[in-house]
DNA sequence: CGCCGATATGACAATATTGTGACAAAAAAC
DNA sequence: GTTTTTTGTCACAATATTGTCATATCGGCG
Protein backbone atom coordinates (compact mmCIF):
# COMPACT_ATOMS: atom_id res chain seq x y z
CA UNK A 1 0.00 0.00 0.00
CA UNK A 2 2.43 2.64 -1.16
CA UNK A 3 1.14 6.21 -0.93
CA UNK A 4 0.10 7.83 -4.19
CA UNK A 5 1.48 11.27 -4.96
CA UNK A 6 -0.05 13.50 -7.57
CA UNK A 7 2.48 15.93 -9.04
CA UNK A 8 0.98 19.01 -10.65
CA UNK A 9 3.76 20.88 -12.42
CA UNK A 10 3.89 22.33 -15.90
CA UNK A 11 7.64 22.15 -16.44
CA UNK A 12 8.43 18.62 -17.58
CA UNK A 13 12.08 18.45 -16.39
CA UNK A 14 11.21 19.45 -12.85
CA UNK A 15 8.28 17.09 -12.86
CA UNK A 16 10.46 14.21 -13.92
CA UNK A 17 13.11 15.01 -11.39
CA UNK A 18 10.58 14.94 -8.63
CA UNK A 19 8.91 11.86 -10.00
CA UNK A 20 12.15 9.94 -10.15
CA UNK A 21 13.20 10.92 -6.67
CA UNK A 22 9.87 10.09 -5.14
CA UNK A 23 9.41 6.75 -6.83
CA UNK A 24 12.84 5.79 -5.61
CA UNK A 25 11.70 6.36 -2.05
CA UNK A 26 8.70 4.18 -2.61
CA UNK A 27 5.84 6.38 -3.69
CA UNK A 28 3.52 5.79 -6.59
CA UNK A 29 3.63 8.82 -8.82
CA UNK A 30 0.86 10.34 -10.89
CA UNK A 31 1.77 13.31 -13.05
CA UNK A 32 -0.31 16.18 -14.39
CA UNK A 33 0.89 19.20 -16.29
CA UNK A 34 -2.02 21.51 -15.65
CA UNK A 35 -4.94 22.05 -13.35
CA UNK A 36 -7.49 20.53 -15.69
CA UNK A 37 -5.79 17.20 -16.07
CA UNK A 38 -4.86 17.24 -12.41
CA UNK A 39 -8.51 17.45 -11.58
CA UNK A 40 -9.19 14.39 -13.68
CA UNK A 41 -6.36 12.34 -12.24
CA UNK A 42 -7.34 13.36 -8.77
CA UNK A 43 -10.81 11.94 -9.11
CA UNK A 44 -9.67 8.86 -11.00
CA UNK A 45 -6.71 7.87 -8.90
CA UNK A 46 -7.53 9.31 -5.49
CA UNK A 47 -3.98 10.31 -4.49
CA UNK A 48 -2.98 10.41 -0.85
CA UNK A 49 -1.21 13.72 -1.24
CA UNK A 50 -0.61 16.34 -3.93
CA UNK A 51 2.35 18.51 -4.80
CA UNK A 52 1.21 21.57 -6.70
CA UNK A 53 3.23 24.21 -8.48
CA UNK A 54 2.18 27.77 -7.77
CA UNK A 55 2.72 29.21 -11.21
CA UNK A 56 1.16 27.37 -14.06
CA UNK A 57 -0.26 28.47 -17.41
CA UNK A 58 -4.02 28.65 -17.35
CA UNK A 59 -5.51 28.05 -13.96
CA UNK A 60 -2.86 28.78 -11.36
CA UNK A 61 -1.88 26.44 -8.59
CA UNK A 62 -3.43 28.76 -6.04
CA UNK A 63 -6.80 28.66 -7.69
CA UNK A 64 -6.56 24.94 -8.13
CA UNK A 65 -5.78 24.35 -4.47
CA UNK A 66 -8.53 26.66 -3.38
CA UNK A 67 -11.08 24.74 -5.38
CA UNK A 68 -9.73 21.41 -4.22
CA UNK A 69 -9.95 22.50 -0.62
CA UNK A 70 -13.49 23.75 -0.99
CA UNK A 71 -14.92 20.50 -2.25
CA UNK A 72 -15.84 17.99 0.38
CA UNK A 73 -14.73 15.07 -1.73
CA UNK A 74 -11.19 16.31 -2.09
CA UNK A 75 -10.64 18.79 0.73
CA UNK A 76 -9.02 16.21 2.95
CA UNK A 77 -6.26 15.44 0.48
CA UNK A 78 -3.13 17.17 1.80
CA UNK A 79 -1.41 19.60 -0.54
CA UNK A 80 2.14 20.87 -0.69
CA UNK A 81 2.57 24.08 -2.66
CA UNK A 82 5.74 24.71 -4.59
CA UNK A 83 6.86 28.10 -5.75
CA UNK A 84 9.86 29.89 -7.15
CA UNK A 85 9.40 32.86 -4.89
CA UNK A 86 10.27 32.86 -1.25
CA UNK A 87 8.17 35.76 -0.06
CA UNK A 88 6.67 35.45 3.36
CA UNK A 89 3.53 36.84 1.85
CA UNK A 90 3.27 33.97 -0.58
CA UNK A 91 3.64 31.49 2.16
CA UNK A 92 0.77 33.02 4.01
CA UNK A 93 -1.40 33.11 0.93
CA UNK A 94 -0.52 29.53 0.15
CA UNK A 95 -1.48 28.29 3.55
CA UNK A 96 -4.51 30.52 3.49
CA UNK A 97 -6.09 28.78 0.55
CA UNK A 98 -5.66 25.55 2.41
CA UNK A 99 -2.29 24.16 1.45
CA UNK A 100 -0.78 22.03 4.19
CA UNK A 101 2.81 22.93 3.53
CA UNK A 102 4.85 25.19 1.35
CA UNK A 103 8.24 24.81 -0.36
CA UNK A 104 10.44 27.17 -2.30
CA UNK A 105 12.41 26.26 -5.37
CA UNK A 106 15.04 25.16 -5.57
CA UNK A 107 14.65 22.31 -3.16
CA UNK A 108 16.30 18.94 -2.86
CA UNK A 109 14.36 15.79 -3.71
CA UNK A 110 15.18 14.61 -0.26
CA UNK A 111 13.49 17.59 1.32
CA UNK A 112 10.39 17.01 -0.76
CA UNK A 113 10.27 13.39 0.29
CA UNK A 114 10.73 14.44 3.88
CA UNK A 115 7.84 16.87 3.83
CA UNK A 116 5.56 14.41 2.14
CA UNK A 117 6.39 11.85 4.71
CA UNK A 118 5.88 14.21 7.61
CA UNK A 119 2.51 15.33 6.32
CA UNK A 120 1.27 11.84 5.63
CA UNK A 121 2.35 10.86 9.08
CA UNK A 122 0.39 13.51 10.86
CA UNK A 123 -2.67 13.69 8.65
CA UNK A 124 -3.25 10.01 9.12
CA UNK A 125 -3.79 9.83 12.84
CA UNK A 126 -5.33 6.77 14.24
CA UNK A 127 -8.70 7.50 15.70
CA UNK A 128 -9.34 6.42 19.21
CA UNK A 129 -12.32 4.96 20.90
CA UNK A 130 -13.36 4.65 24.46
CA UNK A 131 -12.80 1.30 26.14
CA UNK A 132 -15.56 -1.17 25.50
CA UNK A 133 -16.65 -3.55 28.17
CA UNK A 134 -18.94 -6.50 27.88
CA UNK A 135 -19.44 -9.21 30.47
CA UNK A 136 -16.18 -8.45 32.24
CA UNK A 137 -14.28 -8.50 28.99
CA UNK A 138 -12.71 -5.10 28.39
CA UNK A 139 -11.14 -3.95 25.16
CA UNK A 140 -9.06 -0.78 25.23
CA UNK A 141 -8.34 0.58 21.77
CA UNK A 142 -5.98 3.22 23.14
CA UNK A 143 -3.67 0.85 24.88
CA UNK A 144 -4.33 -1.89 22.38
CA UNK A 145 -5.14 -4.33 25.12
CA UNK A 146 -7.81 -6.76 26.15
CA UNK A 147 -8.59 -7.74 29.71
CA UNK A 148 -10.63 -10.59 31.06
CA UNK A 149 -11.58 -9.51 34.55
CA UNK A 150 -8.49 -7.33 34.75
CA UNK A 151 -6.16 -10.05 33.56
CA UNK A 152 -4.41 -9.09 30.36
CA UNK A 153 -4.93 -11.38 27.39
CA UNK A 154 -2.42 -12.08 24.64
CA UNK A 155 -3.93 -11.40 21.25
CA UNK A 156 -2.16 -11.16 17.93
CA UNK A 157 -2.74 -8.05 15.86
CA UNK A 158 -5.30 -9.68 13.60
CA UNK A 159 -7.14 -11.27 16.48
CA UNK A 160 -7.27 -7.89 18.17
CA UNK A 161 -8.77 -6.31 15.09
CA UNK A 162 -11.34 -9.06 14.75
CA UNK A 163 -12.35 -8.77 18.37
CA UNK A 164 -12.51 -5.01 18.04
CA UNK A 165 -14.79 -5.40 15.07
CA UNK A 166 -16.97 -7.93 16.82
CA UNK A 167 -17.25 -5.93 20.00
CA UNK A 168 -18.38 -2.90 18.05
CA UNK A 169 -20.77 -4.94 15.92
CA UNK A 170 -22.34 -7.42 18.28
CA UNK A 171 -25.44 -9.57 18.00
CA UNK A 172 -25.29 -9.95 14.30
CA UNK A 173 -23.99 -12.52 11.85
CA UNK A 174 -21.21 -11.68 9.45
CA UNK A 175 -20.12 -13.88 6.58
CA UNK A 176 -16.49 -14.72 6.13
CA UNK A 177 -16.38 -12.37 3.18
CA UNK A 178 -17.75 -9.50 5.22
CA UNK A 179 -15.29 -10.15 8.00
CA UNK A 180 -12.47 -10.14 5.48
CA UNK A 181 -13.69 -6.81 4.16
CA UNK A 182 -14.01 -5.19 7.54
CA UNK A 183 -10.92 -6.54 9.21
CA UNK A 184 -8.47 -6.97 6.38
CA UNK A 185 -9.78 -4.36 3.96
CA UNK A 186 -11.75 -4.68 0.78
CA UNK A 187 -9.04 -5.21 -1.76
CA UNK A 188 -7.30 -8.23 -0.49
CA UNK A 189 -7.38 -11.71 -1.85
CA UNK A 190 -7.37 -14.17 0.95
CA UNK A 191 -9.04 -17.52 1.32
CA UNK A 192 -12.27 -17.27 3.26
CA UNK A 193 -11.22 -20.30 5.26
CA UNK A 194 -8.45 -18.18 6.73
CA UNK A 195 -11.12 -16.43 8.74
CA UNK A 196 -11.88 -19.74 10.40
CA UNK A 197 -8.31 -20.06 11.51
CA UNK A 198 -8.21 -16.60 13.02
CA UNK A 199 -11.54 -17.16 14.71
CA UNK A 200 -10.01 -20.22 16.26
CA UNK A 201 -6.99 -18.25 17.43
CA UNK A 202 -9.25 -15.62 18.88
CA UNK A 203 -11.31 -18.21 20.72
CA UNK A 204 -8.17 -19.81 22.03
CA UNK A 205 -6.95 -16.49 23.38
CA UNK A 206 -10.29 -15.87 25.04
CA UNK A 207 -10.36 -19.37 26.52
CA UNK A 208 -11.64 -20.50 28.80
CA UNK A 209 -13.84 -17.82 30.17
CA UNK A 210 -15.06 -16.02 27.12
CA UNK A 211 -15.05 -18.27 24.13
CA UNK A 212 -18.79 -18.67 24.09
CA UNK A 213 -18.98 -15.10 22.89
CA UNK A 214 -17.76 -15.93 19.41
CA UNK A 215 -20.44 -18.09 17.90
CA UNK A 216 -20.53 -20.10 14.71
CA UNK A 217 -23.62 -19.73 12.58
CA UNK A 218 -23.60 -22.68 10.28
CA UNK A 219 -23.94 -21.77 6.64
CA UNK A 220 -23.81 -18.06 7.40
CA UNK A 221 -20.68 -16.97 9.25
CA UNK A 222 -19.87 -15.85 12.77
CA UNK A 223 -21.51 -13.75 15.41
CA UNK A 224 -20.37 -12.03 18.57
CA UNK A 225 -23.04 -12.26 21.20
CA UNK A 226 -23.37 -12.22 24.95
CA UNK A 227 -26.51 -14.30 24.71
CA UNK A 228 -25.85 -17.98 24.33
CA UNK B 1 10.38 24.50 28.91
CA UNK B 2 7.77 27.21 28.98
CA UNK B 3 4.27 26.04 28.16
CA UNK B 4 3.02 26.79 24.66
CA UNK B 5 -0.42 28.34 24.33
CA UNK B 6 -2.28 28.35 21.04
CA UNK B 7 -4.73 31.25 20.79
CA UNK B 8 -7.52 30.75 18.28
CA UNK B 9 -9.38 34.00 17.95
CA UNK B 10 -10.47 35.90 14.87
CA UNK B 11 -10.52 39.38 16.35
CA UNK B 12 -6.99 40.70 16.22
CA UNK B 13 -7.22 43.23 19.11
CA UNK B 14 -8.48 40.65 21.56
CA UNK B 15 -5.93 38.17 20.34
CA UNK B 16 -3.12 40.63 20.89
CA UNK B 17 -4.37 41.60 24.29
CA UNK B 18 -4.37 37.99 25.37
CA UNK B 19 -1.06 37.32 23.71
CA UNK B 20 0.62 40.20 25.45
CA UNK B 21 -0.75 39.33 28.83
CA UNK B 22 0.18 35.69 28.59
CA UNK B 23 3.67 36.17 27.29
CA UNK B 24 4.29 38.51 30.19
CA UNK B 25 3.48 35.70 32.56
CA UNK B 26 5.92 33.43 30.80
CA UNK B 27 4.03 31.50 28.19
CA UNK B 28 5.04 30.96 24.61
CA UNK B 29 2.22 32.19 22.42
CA UNK B 30 1.10 30.86 19.07
CA UNK B 31 -1.70 32.69 17.33
CA UNK B 32 -4.25 31.57 14.79
CA UNK B 33 -7.15 33.53 13.41
CA UNK B 34 -9.29 30.68 12.20
CA UNK B 35 -9.83 26.98 12.60
CA UNK B 36 -7.90 26.00 9.51
CA UNK B 37 -4.69 27.70 10.45
CA UNK B 38 -5.17 26.64 14.06
CA UNK B 39 -5.20 23.05 12.90
CA UNK B 40 -1.94 23.57 11.12
CA UNK B 41 -0.23 25.30 13.99
CA UNK B 42 -1.50 22.67 16.34
CA UNK B 43 0.13 19.88 14.41
CA UNK B 44 3.29 21.80 13.75
CA UNK B 45 3.87 23.26 17.16
CA UNK B 46 2.13 20.84 19.49
CA UNK B 47 0.88 23.42 21.99
CA UNK B 48 0.35 22.42 25.60
CA UNK B 49 -3.01 24.15 25.80
CA UNK B 50 -5.40 25.99 23.51
CA UNK B 51 -7.71 28.94 24.02
CA UNK B 52 -10.47 28.90 21.43
CA UNK B 53 -13.05 31.50 20.62
CA UNK B 54 -16.56 30.17 20.24
CA UNK B 55 -17.69 32.40 17.41
CA UNK B 56 -15.45 32.54 14.39
CA UNK B 57 -16.10 33.03 10.71
CA UNK B 58 -15.98 29.76 8.84
CA UNK B 59 -15.63 26.74 11.02
CA UNK B 60 -16.83 27.65 14.49
CA UNK B 61 -14.84 27.11 17.63
CA UNK B 62 -17.27 24.43 18.72
CA UNK B 63 -16.72 22.39 15.60
CA UNK B 64 -13.02 22.87 15.84
CA UNK B 65 -12.86 21.68 19.40
CA UNK B 66 -15.02 18.71 18.64
CA UNK B 67 -12.70 17.58 15.89
CA UNK B 68 -9.63 18.21 17.99
CA UNK B 69 -11.04 16.12 20.77
CA UNK B 70 -11.89 13.26 18.48
CA UNK B 71 -8.41 12.76 17.13
CA UNK B 72 -5.99 10.71 19.13
CA UNK B 73 -3.02 12.89 18.39
CA UNK B 74 -4.63 16.01 19.71
CA UNK B 75 -7.42 14.96 22.04
CA UNK B 76 -5.33 15.30 25.12
CA UNK B 77 -4.50 18.93 24.51
CA UNK B 78 -6.59 20.89 27.02
CA UNK B 79 -8.91 23.53 25.61
CA UNK B 80 -10.43 26.63 27.13
CA UNK B 81 -13.45 27.94 25.28
CA UNK B 82 -14.13 31.64 25.17
CA UNK B 83 -17.46 33.16 24.32
CA UNK B 84 -19.26 36.47 24.44
CA UNK B 85 -22.43 34.96 25.76
CA UNK B 86 -22.87 33.78 29.31
CA UNK B 87 -25.69 31.34 28.91
CA UNK B 88 -25.58 28.28 31.06
CA UNK B 89 -26.58 26.35 27.98
CA UNK B 90 -23.46 27.40 26.15
CA UNK B 91 -21.30 26.29 28.97
CA UNK B 92 -22.82 22.85 28.86
CA UNK B 93 -22.40 22.61 25.12
CA UNK B 94 -18.85 23.79 25.34
CA UNK B 95 -17.88 21.23 27.89
CA UNK B 96 -19.86 18.61 26.04
CA UNK B 97 -17.68 18.78 22.96
CA UNK B 98 -14.69 18.26 25.18
CA UNK B 99 -13.52 21.68 26.27
CA UNK B 100 -11.81 21.59 29.65
CA UNK B 101 -12.92 25.01 30.79
CA UNK B 102 -15.13 27.85 29.73
CA UNK B 103 -14.83 31.61 30.02
CA UNK B 104 -17.13 34.49 29.19
CA UNK B 105 -16.08 37.77 27.67
CA UNK B 106 -15.20 40.16 28.99
CA UNK B 107 -12.55 38.64 31.17
CA UNK B 108 -9.34 39.96 32.63
CA UNK B 109 -6.01 38.78 31.31
CA UNK B 110 -5.22 37.81 34.82
CA UNK B 111 -8.17 35.49 34.99
CA UNK B 112 -7.19 33.84 31.74
CA UNK B 113 -3.66 33.27 32.96
CA UNK B 114 -5.00 31.84 36.17
CA UNK B 115 -7.24 29.36 34.42
CA UNK B 116 -4.50 28.27 32.07
CA UNK B 117 -2.23 27.70 34.98
CA UNK B 118 -4.85 25.72 36.84
CA UNK B 119 -5.58 23.49 33.91
CA UNK B 120 -1.96 22.89 33.08
CA UNK B 121 -1.31 22.01 36.66
CA UNK B 122 -3.87 19.29 36.67
CA UNK B 123 -3.44 17.95 33.15
CA UNK B 124 0.24 18.45 32.53
CA UNK B 125 2.14 18.16 35.76
CA UNK B 126 5.44 17.89 33.94
CA UNK B 127 5.17 21.45 32.72
CA UNK B 128 5.40 22.57 36.27
CA UNK B 129 8.74 20.78 36.26
CA UNK B 130 7.73 18.70 39.21
CA UNK B 131 9.52 15.36 39.42
CA UNK B 132 7.46 12.47 38.23
CA UNK B 133 7.68 9.20 40.05
CA UNK B 134 6.36 5.85 39.03
CA UNK B 135 7.23 2.52 40.60
CA UNK B 136 10.36 3.85 42.22
CA UNK B 137 11.52 5.37 38.97
CA UNK B 138 11.89 9.12 39.36
CA UNK B 139 12.28 11.56 36.52
CA UNK B 140 13.36 15.11 37.32
CA UNK B 141 12.65 17.48 34.46
CA UNK B 142 14.72 20.37 35.75
CA UNK B 143 17.82 18.45 36.59
CA UNK B 144 17.31 16.36 33.49
CA UNK B 145 18.02 13.23 35.41
CA UNK B 146 16.44 9.90 36.12
CA UNK B 147 16.76 7.84 39.26
CA UNK B 148 15.98 4.24 39.89
CA UNK B 149 15.51 3.95 43.63
CA UNK B 150 17.77 6.95 44.16
CA UNK B 151 20.50 5.61 41.92
CA UNK B 152 21.14 7.89 38.98
CA UNK B 153 20.73 6.40 35.52
CA UNK B 154 22.73 7.35 32.44
CA UNK B 155 20.35 8.42 29.68
CA UNK B 156 21.22 10.21 26.48
CA UNK B 157 19.24 13.36 25.69
CA UNK B 158 16.94 11.62 23.24
CA UNK B 159 16.34 8.72 25.58
CA UNK B 160 15.47 11.20 28.29
CA UNK B 161 12.94 12.92 26.09
CA UNK B 162 11.38 9.64 25.10
CA UNK B 163 11.11 8.54 28.69
CA UNK B 164 9.70 11.91 29.63
CA UNK B 165 7.11 11.59 26.94
CA UNK B 166 6.25 8.07 27.97
CA UNK B 167 6.02 8.86 31.64
CA UNK B 168 3.59 11.67 30.92
CA UNK B 169 1.59 9.60 28.44
CA UNK B 170 1.39 6.18 29.99
CA UNK B 171 -0.85 3.21 29.34
CA UNK B 172 -1.33 3.89 25.72
CA UNK B 173 0.16 2.78 22.43
CA UNK B 174 2.00 5.21 20.21
CA UNK B 175 3.09 4.41 16.71
CA UNK B 176 6.63 5.09 15.65
CA UNK B 177 5.38 8.04 13.65
CA UNK B 178 3.60 9.56 16.63
CA UNK B 179 6.65 9.13 18.80
CA UNK B 180 8.72 10.87 16.16
CA UNK B 181 6.22 13.72 16.12
CA UNK B 182 6.14 14.13 19.86
CA UNK B 183 9.77 13.59 20.70
CA UNK B 184 11.59 14.89 17.65
CA UNK B 185 8.98 17.32 16.34
CA UNK B 186 6.71 17.19 13.34
CA UNK B 187 9.05 18.46 10.71
CA UNK B 188 11.88 16.03 10.72
CA UNK B 189 12.72 13.39 8.23
CA UNK B 190 13.85 10.43 10.19
CA UNK B 191 13.41 6.75 9.58
CA UNK B 192 10.73 5.27 11.75
CA UNK B 193 13.02 2.39 12.58
CA UNK B 194 15.27 4.85 14.34
CA UNK B 195 12.67 4.89 17.06
CA UNK B 196 13.36 1.20 17.62
CA UNK B 197 17.00 1.89 18.19
CA UNK B 198 16.32 4.58 20.72
CA UNK B 199 13.78 2.41 22.44
CA UNK B 200 16.45 -0.19 22.76
CA UNK B 201 18.89 2.33 24.20
CA UNK B 202 16.26 3.46 26.63
CA UNK B 203 15.53 -0.09 27.70
CA UNK B 204 19.19 -0.77 28.11
CA UNK B 205 19.57 2.24 30.34
CA UNK B 206 16.61 1.13 32.42
CA UNK B 207 17.94 -2.40 32.70
CA UNK B 208 17.57 -4.47 34.62
CA UNK B 209 15.00 -3.18 37.01
CA UNK B 210 12.66 -1.22 34.82
CA UNK B 211 12.78 -2.40 31.29
CA UNK B 212 9.42 -4.12 31.48
CA UNK B 213 7.88 -0.68 31.51
CA UNK B 214 8.57 -0.01 27.87
CA UNK B 215 6.46 -2.51 26.01
CA UNK B 216 6.35 -3.46 22.37
CA UNK B 217 2.95 -3.75 20.77
CA UNK B 218 3.44 -5.63 17.56
CA UNK B 219 1.98 -4.01 14.55
CA UNK B 220 1.11 -0.89 16.52
CA UNK B 221 4.07 0.71 18.26
CA UNK B 222 5.26 1.07 21.84
CA UNK B 223 3.60 1.61 25.17
CA UNK B 224 4.75 2.69 28.59
CA UNK B 225 2.86 0.83 31.24
CA UNK B 226 3.28 -0.23 34.81
CA UNK B 227 0.94 -3.11 34.26
CA UNK B 228 2.55 -6.18 32.82
C1' DC C 1 -26.09 -45.67 10.94
C1' DG C 2 -23.61 -43.70 6.99
C1' DC C 3 -23.13 -39.91 4.05
C1' DC C 4 -22.33 -35.13 2.95
C1' DG C 5 -20.95 -30.53 3.28
C1' DA C 6 -19.41 -27.30 6.68
C1' DT C 7 -16.38 -26.11 10.37
C1' DA C 8 -12.42 -26.93 13.73
C1' DT C 9 -7.75 -27.81 14.46
C1' DG C 10 -2.79 -28.62 14.24
C1' DA C 11 1.20 -28.09 11.53
C1' DC C 12 4.16 -25.51 8.57
C1' DA C 13 6.53 -22.49 5.39
C1' DA C 14 6.50 -17.84 3.95
C1' DT C 15 6.29 -13.07 5.57
C1' DA C 16 6.46 -9.33 8.43
C1' DT C 17 7.99 -7.13 12.33
C1' DT C 18 11.16 -6.10 15.85
C1' DG C 19 15.81 -6.51 18.31
C1' DT C 20 20.64 -5.68 18.12
C1' DG C 21 25.48 -4.53 17.19
C1' DA C 22 28.33 -1.78 14.41
C1' DC C 23 29.58 2.41 12.14
C1' DA C 24 30.15 6.94 10.20
C1' DA C 25 28.56 11.51 10.45
C1' DA C 26 27.25 15.27 13.21
C1' DA C 27 27.20 17.77 17.43
C1' DA C 28 28.94 18.95 21.71
C1' DA C 29 32.50 19.34 24.93
C1' DC C 30 37.01 20.40 25.78
C1' DG D 1 41.56 22.34 16.66
C1' DT D 2 40.86 17.72 18.99
C1' DT D 3 38.39 14.51 21.64
C1' DT D 4 34.14 12.67 23.26
C1' DT D 5 29.35 11.96 22.99
C1' DT D 6 25.32 11.50 20.59
C1' DT D 7 22.66 10.36 16.50
C1' DG D 8 20.65 8.19 12.63
C1' DT D 9 21.02 4.36 9.57
C1' DC D 10 22.14 0.01 8.07
C1' DA D 11 22.61 -5.07 7.79
C1' DC D 12 21.57 -8.99 9.88
C1' DA D 13 19.59 -11.90 13.71
C1' DA D 14 15.80 -13.21 16.40
C1' DT D 15 10.78 -13.47 16.82
C1' DA D 16 6.19 -13.31 15.95
C1' DT D 17 2.51 -13.45 12.77
C1' DT D 18 0.09 -14.94 8.68
C1' DG D 19 -2.15 -17.62 5.28
C1' DT D 20 -2.80 -22.15 3.57
C1' DC D 21 -3.10 -26.88 3.68
C1' DA D 22 -4.32 -31.59 5.19
C1' DT D 23 -6.94 -33.86 8.29
C1' DA D 24 -10.22 -34.43 12.03
C1' DT D 25 -14.71 -33.37 13.81
C1' DC D 26 -19.24 -31.90 13.68
C1' DG D 27 -24.21 -31.37 12.39
C1' DG D 28 -27.95 -32.50 9.87
C1' DC D 29 -30.57 -35.74 7.08
C1' DG D 30 -32.23 -39.76 4.62
Amino acid sequence: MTPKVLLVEDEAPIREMMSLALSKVGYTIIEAEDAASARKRMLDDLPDIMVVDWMMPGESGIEFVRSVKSESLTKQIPVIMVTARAEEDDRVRGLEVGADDYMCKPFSPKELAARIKAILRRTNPQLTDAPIEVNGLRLEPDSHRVFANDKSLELGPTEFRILHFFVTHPERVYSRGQILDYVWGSNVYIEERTVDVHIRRLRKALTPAYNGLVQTVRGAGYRFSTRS
Side-chain angles (χ1 to χ4, degrees), chain A residues 194-215:
Chain A
T194 298
V195 174
D196 296 34
V197 178
H198 282 281
I199 290 287
R200 175 180 146 272
R201 288 170 180 160
L202 174 57
R203 281 173 172 157
K204 196 172 179 182
L206 297 180
T207 295
Y210 292 97
N211 41 6
L213 295 177
V214 180
Q215 302 166 354

Side-chain angles (χ1 to χ4, degrees), chain A residues 75-94:
Chain A
K75 70 193 292 189
Q76 68 214 358
I77 302 176
V79 173
I80 298 179
M81 289 233 61
V82 173
T83 180
R85 301 177 297 180
E87 317 254 333
E88 174 65 17
D89 206 38
D90 285 2
R91 182 187 167 79
V92 172
R93 275 190 63 208

Side-chain angles (χ1 to χ4, degrees), chain A residues 14-15 44 55 87 157 162 178 180 215:
Chain A
I14 298 183
R15 209 170 59 231
D44 286 353
M55 301 284 278
E87 317 254 333
I162 294 179
Q178 289 176 307
L180 276 179
Q215 302 166 354

